[in-house]
Amino acid sequence: VNSILAPIINCQHPDTFRVNRFSSDFTGGTKVAFSAALGLPAGLRGPINKETTLIYKNVMTNVGNAYNPATGVFTAPVRGVYYIRFTGSEHGNTSNNIGVNLDKNGQNLLHLGENGSDGLAKHISSGVTLELEAGDVVYTRLPANYVLWGGSDFRTTFSGFLIFPM
């Protein structure tokens, strides 16, 4: 990136300050990005008679190590605006709904669900932009008596990244 921006950064144009600021934000500072999946063993997770934190052990990306694969919790390392995304799927289920809850610091932010008891494959996904303080925690939970699919196809995922620090 620096080699691409060098001719622009070194020019004496009045907008040089703005370009330098962009270059600094883009190439330096805290970098945070994670993506993880339920993964194997293949099969339904749930139903369980109480809400349960989902633990995504198959980590594909964890820049900044802010996602903990042992607990399923993302901890914001710096104050900033983050994009959080989660997906879920199931198939072959004839008795329970599919769903995911997104929580922040112990408070439910949103519920995403669909009737899944017809045995057909179902997919759900959502994303949200959140202003987080350093130390805030975000995680997903399987609602009581709901199901999700885990397998090598990574259909159930939890991801996020820092858009910009504040």
Side-chain angles (χ1 to χ4, degrees):
V1 173
N2 283 336
S3 64
I4 295 169
L5 295 176
I8 299 168
I9 293 169
N10 294 326
C11 81
Q12 298 304 311
H13 191 275
D15 289 335
T16 299
F17 172 75
R18 280 183 256 172
V19 172
N20 282 335
R21 173 79 174 131
F22 169 77
S23 175
S24 172
D25 288 348
F26 191 70
T27 61
T30 303
K31 293 176 176 61
V32 181
F34 75 96
S35 190
L38 284 184
L40 297 172
L44 288 177
R45 306 300 199 275
I48 302 170
N49 63 3
K50 65 177 184 167
E51 189 176 38
T52 305
T53 300
L54 291 165
I55 299 174
Y56 303 83
K57 293 182 179 181
N58 295 87
V59 178
M60 295 170 269
T61 305
N62 198 6
V63 176
N65 294 312
Y67 173 73
N68 185 333
T71 64
V73 174
F74 168 74
T75 304
V78 296
R79 180 175 183 252
V81 175
Y82 292 80
Y83 181 73
I84 304 295
R85 178 169 172 75
F86 53 97
T87 64
S89 74
E90 65 84 25
H91 64 84
N93 170 49
T94 58
S95 58
N96 295 89
N97 293 334
I98 176 177
V100 178
N101 290 338
L102 181 68
D103 288 17
K104 172 188 162 192
N105 297 334
Q107 299 295 313
N108 180 258
L109 294 179
L110 59 95
H111 168 79
L112 184 63
E114 184 173 332
N115 181 338
S117 59
D118 59 10
L120 301 175
K122 300 283 190 275
H123 301 275
I124 56 174
S125 67
S126 188
V128 63
T129 303
L130 297 174
E131 186 175 330
L132 300 176
E133 298 293 329
D136 281 351
V137 295
V138 179
Y139 48 94
T140 62
R141 295 175 58 82
L142 180 64
N145 301 312
Y146 279 67
V147 296
L148 285 172
W149 178 264
S152 60
D153 51 9
F154 295 164
R155 292 182 187 186
T156 301
T157 62
F158 181 38
S159 304
F161 57 88
L162 174 65
I163 299 172
F164 57 86
M166 295 180 52

